Amino acid sequence: MQAPKSSVESIVFLLTIALATAFAAGCHEDDKTWPYGTIDVGWFDDAGDATVDAGTTEPGLPAATELFDPLGIHEVQLVVSVAVWDKIVGNAKDHHLVRDWHQADVRIDGKLYSKVGLKNFGEGSQIGNPDKPNIRIKFNQFDDSAKGPENMRNLRFKASGSDRSFVREPMFYDMARAIGVAAPRTSFAHVRVNSKVFGLYQVVEHADKRLFKRNFGNNQGKNFDVGDTCN
């Protein structure tokens, strides 16, 4: 790499070195390889009309072994009324609408979580494909004692409408954690709504009190781009 010849080139040079260092730190310690595996991008596309059997996993990634396993994929099915889903899609198409909580059932890797809260979130990230909306699930919206997998209360499923590679956000959060910045954990999921396949989603930890407590030892803290009110 040649030495920079101007102040602008110097800034670009330093940013390149910083990003390369952070990326290397985010790789696995044992093999220093790309942490997201080899993924078949052919099935990342928009929502389709196909149906699949329960428990089926997509090609390219094995079944996830834990909630935030970047090397695996979860099987997620939402069971929701047509009227409620139409409202979710409507919110994705017009984010000025009021986003109320709706009731739904969700099955994650074969385990059923009943009467969870369901709503849409996000704005510009859905412009590219509003028919595949971002989904937020709050397990204790209608039952304060309810919990999701690994005792989570909130999960976000991002359609990645503005990033068809599906790796920009996981990479950024991975690099942030590698340099000591508190950031949500991520993984991937193959999502169906009733029997309709909606394809790949990013599973993103919601920035709530539990994230703060895990990183700071208390329930207080400031955050960046949490996508919704913390609770």
Side-chain angles (χ1 to χ4, degrees):
M1 182 180 293
Q2 294 182 344
K5 298 178 180 179
S6 68
S7 58
V8 173
E9 288 179 343
S10 297
I11 293 171
V12 173
F13 178 82
L14 291 173
L15 285 173
T16 302
I17 295 298
L19 284 172
T21 303
F23 177 78
C27 294
H28 289 298
E29 292 299 325
D30 54 349
D31 57 9
K32 298 294 183 185
T33 57
W34 167 246
Y36 301 105
T38 300
I39 305 173
D40 177 7
V41 298
W43 51 272
F44 283 16
D45 293 335
D46 302 345
D49 294 320
T51 59
V52 296
D53 295 330
T56 302
T57 56
E58 290 283 4
L61 287 176
T65 58
E66 56 188 21
L67 183 57
F68 298 110
D69 174 8
L71 297 177
I73 187 168
H74 295 283
E75 281 291 324
V76 175
Q77 182 185 23
L78 285 167
V79 180
V80 62
S81 72
V82 173
V84 166
W85 186 249
D86 285 346
K87 289 181 179 179
I88 298 293
V89 174
N91 286 146
K93 293 180 177 180
D94 183 359
H95 59 260
H96 295 98
L97 297 174
V98 176
R99 293 171 173 175
D100 296 320
W101 285 104
H102 304 283
Q103 187 170 289
D105 294 339
V106 60
R107 192 178 296 274
I108 300 177
D109 297 332
K111 184 173 181 178
L112 178 64
Y113 300 89
S114 299
K115 300 179 180 179
V116 304
L118 176 70
K119 70 185 298 187
N120 173 250
F121 73 93
E123 297 181 9
S125 61
Q126 300 179 119
I127 292 175
N129 185 8
D131 289 317
K132 184 182 178 183
N134 296 329
I135 302 165
R136 181 181 166 194
I137 293 176
K138 189 174 183 182
F139 295 92
N140 64 332
Q141 175 65 27
F142 300 107
D143 178 0
D144 192 57
S145 64
K147 297 178 182 179
E150 299 183 15
N151 294 323
M152 298 297 293
R153 298 295 181 93
N154 294 275
L155 282 177
R156 291 188 290 158
F157 292 84
K158 299 195 72 172
S160 197
S162 58
D163 175 26
R164 300 298 295 276
S165 73
F166 282 80
V167 297
R168 185 181 64 194
E169 191 165 7
M171 275 185 62
F172 174 79
Y173 286 147
D174 209 28
M175 288 189 293
R177 289 192 300 273
I179 60 175
V181 177
R185 295 168 293 176
T186 64
S187 57
F188 298 104
H190 169 249
V191 175
R192 289 178 293 155
V193 178
N194 298 322
S195 62
K196 186 175 181 178
V197 174
F198 277 76
L200 188 72
Y201 274 72
Q202 294 174 22
V203 185
V204 183
E205 180 180 17
H206 188 64
D208 58 14
K209 295 176 181 178
R210 290 159 189 80
L211 184 147
F212 293 140
K213 190 168 185 178
R214 191 180 73 252
N215 286 278
F216 307 117
N218 57 59
N219 292 336
Q220 304 299 318
K222 293 186 177 181
N223 52 76
F224 175 76
D225 190 25
V226 301
D228 219 332
T229 304
C230 296
N231 48 41

